[in-house]
Amino acid sequence: MNNIAARNIIRFITLLLVQVIICNNINFLGYINPYIYIIFIFLFPIRENRLVFLLVSFLLGMLIDMFSDSGGVHAAAAVSLAYARPILLKTSFGMLYEHQSIKFSNTEIGSLITYISFGTVLHHFILFSLEIFNISNILSILQKTLFSSIFTIILSILIIILFSRNQK
Amino acid sequence: MQQIFNFVIRNKTFLLFLLLFSIALALTIQSHSYHRSKFINSANGLTGGVYGTFNSIDQYFNLKDENTMLSEENKRLREQLFNSVNTSDSTYIDSSYSIGKFRVTTADVFKNSYSLTNNYLTLNKGRNDSIKEDFGVITSKGIIGIIDNTSSNYATALSILNKNSQINAKLKSSNHIGSLTWNGESPEFTQLVDVSTFAPVKVGDTIVTGGQSAIFPKGIGIGTIDSFETDISGDTYNIEVKLFNDMTNVGTVYIIENLDRTEIKALENRVNE
């Protein structure tokens, strides 16, 4: 139990630092940045209390906002993703989730990709809608969502696979 | 009463989500107006410390660029010095004349963003270095932005690449003024609006700061006119300005304090009353 808590704290801090120091400065093609800190929300222990989960996600988003001076956009997107996670888990893992027996390190890669993809697109859409905050720029919102999502999904899946194999 | 409690307990996850989401939304809305939230910004010890640690590594990779920029500036200043017409052979006796109108501080940029719609810079100087809100931020090439929030050791600056930014600017060749805004698209261009159609606008002309706002001294470079068109109303020009500064690569900046600012502000406030 303690081990899991420690691992999550380390993951929280590492992802926060990697996000604000490296990923926020990539600016691929001028504006495309991956937002890999949501891996923390994807991998948060499922059996943990949902209230704690929401609060921790909010804190993570708020810290990212503080570092990047973006008001509350990351906090809003992170909290929405955290709230929607059970639905995402149910649609992508089906029965496994019902039995509360998902282990991210040894699930089917297909289900994992579905789970990460839906979550990332949801998160990025809320993030960019709030950041641009202008319905007449809907094309710009969709464009940013699409390109950043592709970047985030690829990076997230690579990171999850890379690190989960080590822990076996 | 019992039912209300039951309702709250049954929907506690949803209610907590709603609460947290509203807090985040409120902060977002606040950040979209000029006078933004004073709680969530990167001018604090935590973010400043983290950025500072990694900035010192980053600085090594930019030393070459930084050197070229400094020698270019030196060259320009020397040219100004040698060609200056005003060879003064006497000094003022009254020492109050020799005090300048502007005070300049140098600062390192700890964080710079240019891909969002509201961009901010984090600088490593704060209240301890007498940096306050509404001081101007420039480089040797041109303007960068305006100080927005300060903590004891750090400050954030509203970049000119920010939808809330509005800076008084004018044509170098005449005195026609306009305000400099940004449409959120390219970090290389900003837009100068509200320029009267009487102004002699030509592609390639220089745009400089107007000195009307008591933030920047008059005549600091902003950029050159890339293209221009008449506004829908037909009375004003909308000018596309190509910036002198490469906003994606800003290392060291100068912070400018107008020492007469409080006096000007007090006077303006009295007029408004």
Side-chain angles (χ1 to χ4, degrees):
Chain A
M1 190 61 219
N2 243 339
N3 189 13
I4 292 172
R7 192 186 294 169
N8 272 289
I9 291 166
I10 292 169
R11 193 184 284 153
F12 185 97
I13 295 168
T14 318
L15 283 173
L16 176 70
L17 288 179
V18 169
Q19 178 65 46
V20 296
I21 290 157
I22 300 170
C23 292
N24 276 356
N25 295 316
I26 290 181
N27 292 315
F28 182 60
L29 298 181
Y31 62 92
I32 305 171
N33 281 334
Y35 294 99
I36 56 151
Y37 70 93
I38 52 174
I39 294 174
F40 176 82
I41 300 171
F42 287 136
L43 295 188
F44 196 82
I46 289 163
R47 265 163 275 182
E48 206 58 47
N49 189 343
R50 277 192 74 195
L51 297 179
V52 176
F53 179 42
L54 279 179
L55 282 170
V56 171
S57 305
F58 180 75
L59 183 70
L60 178 61
M62 203 83 257
L63 281 169
I64 301 273
D65 275 325
M66 193 190 270
F67 274 97
S68 46
D69 285 298
S70 46
V73 293
H74 286 287
V79 131
S80 313
L81 177 61
Y83 185 71
R85 194 178 79 150
I87 306 163
L88 293 171
L89 282 169
K90 210 176 280 175
T91 46
S92 9
F93 293 101
M95 285 310 282
L96 271 178
Y97 174 66
E98 306 280 334
H99 295 127
Q100 304 267 312
S101 58
I102 302 175
K103 289 198 97 182
F104 291 110
S105 49
N106 52 16
T107 45
E108 267 181 67
I109 191 78
S111 315
L112 188 72
I113 291 175
T114 326
Y115 170 54
I116 302 274
S117 307
F118 277 131
T120 309
V121 171
L122 173 78
H123 173 271
H124 283 27
F125 182 70
I126 296 168
L127 178 72
F128 290 117
S129 307
L130 288 176
E131 190 212 303
I132 294 172
F133 214 61
N134 189 344
I135 198 74
S136 62
N137 287 347
I138 183 81
L139 274 179
S140 165
I141 294 172
L142 291 176
Q143 187 192 13
K144 278 191 165 184
T145 307
L146 178 69
F147 292 130
S148 285
S149 293
I150 293 170
F151 205 169
T152 311
I153 291 166
I154 292 170
L155 263 185
S156 305
I157 290 170
L158 285 180
I159 289 169
I160 291 173
I161 291 173
L162 215 64
F163 283 91
S164 61
R165 289 291 177 268
N166 279 349
Q167 280 158 11
K168 257 186 182 174
Chain B
M1 205 62 202
Q2 187 70 34
Q3 277 184 332
I4 295 174
F5 279 130
N6 277 340
F7 175 80
V8 169
I9 290 164
R10 236 182 311 125
N11 293 307
K12 59 181 190 293
T13 321
F14 179 69
L15 289 174
L16 182 70
F17 163 71
L18 218 58
L19 173 76
L20 294 178
F21 193 80
S22 340
I23 295 172
L25 202 63
L27 288 170
T28 307
I29 291 168
Q30 231 174 356
S31 79
H32 282 277
S33 65
Y34 181 79
H35 287 289
R36 50 189 264 100
S37 154
K38 299 286 173 197
F39 315 113
I40 309 298
N41 62 64
S42 64
N44 62 51
L46 174 68
T47 52
V50 170
Y51 280 136
T53 315
F54 289 91
N55 189 55
S56 53
I57 302 167
D58 196 47
Q59 268 180 336
Y60 279 106
F61 296 101
N62 294 325
L63 279 179
K64 213 170 172 182
D65 285 346
E66 224 31 57
N67 269 338
T68 340
M69 224 161 78
L70 281 177
S71 59
E72 257 170 36
E73 193 185 4
N74 271 342
K75 189 193 84 181
R76 201 163 44 80
L77 291 174
R78 263 185 206 287
E79 267 171 15
Q80 251 174 37
L81 189 70
F82 294 144
N83 296 329
S84 96
V85 204
N86 180 18
T87 48
S88 57
D89 48 5
S90 56
T91 57
Y92 292 110
I93 294 171
D94 188 350
S95 64
S96 65
Y97 278 109
S98 59
I99 297 170
K101 243 187 91 180
F102 294 98
R103 201 172 56 90
V104 179
T105 318
T106 58
D108 284 341
V109 175
F110 272 6
K111 187 216 87 191
N112 177 25
S113 69
Y114 49 87
S115 56
L116 311 173
T117 45
N118 290 318
N119 295 297
Y120 291 88
L121 296 100
T122 309
L123 311 175
N124 71 338
K125 290 283 164 74
R127 277 198 296 274
N128 288 354
D129 310 280
S130 317
I131 304 299
K132 294 199 196 80
E133 208 176 306
D134 285 341
F135 286 8
V137 181
I138 64 165
T139 67
S140 52
K141 289 182 191 159
I143 65 167
I144 295 287
I146 296 171
I147 299 286
D148 185 44
N149 277 316
T150 51
S151 69
S152 48
N153 288 312
Y154 304 97
T156 56
L158 190 83
S159 166
I160 44 173
L161 304 181
N162 189 311
K163 281 199 162 178
N164 297 325
S165 156
Q166 265 206 340
I167 292 168
N168 177 265
K170 72 177 194 75
L171 301 177
K172 199 180 184 184
S173 54
S174 71
N175 272 324
H176 290 95
I177 55 159
S179 54
L180 196 72
T181 56
W182 190 51
N183 61 8
E185 277 161 24
S186 164
E188 283 176 47
F189 295 96
T190 54
Q191 286 70 38
L192 186 67
V193 296
D194 292 340
V195 180
S196 139
T197 43
F198 295 116
V201 178
K202 276 203 297 281
V203 171
D205 270 7
T206 307
I207 305 287
V208 295
T209 54
Q212 269 196 3
S213 61
I215 293 175
F216 292 103
K218 196 173 172 179
I220 290 183
I222 295 173
T224 54
I225 298 176
D226 190 66
S227 64
F228 63 93
E229 54 180 24
T230 324
D231 192 56
I232 307 162
S233 66
D235 301 330
T236 56
Y237 282 131
N238 288 340
I239 300 172
E240 195 83 4
V241 182
K242 186 167 182 8
L243 294 170
F244 288 138
N245 263 321
D246 179 4
M247 289 301 288
T248 61
N249 180 17
V250 186
T252 314
V253 294
Y254 302 110
I255 303 172
I256 302 181
E257 175 186 5
N258 186 343
L259 296 172
D260 291 342
R261 197 185 125 72
T262 39
E263 198 179 326
I264 296 171
K265 277 279 161 217
L267 200 63
E268 279 175 355
N269 281 343
R270 210 181 307 159
V271 172
N272 289 341
E273 282 165 13

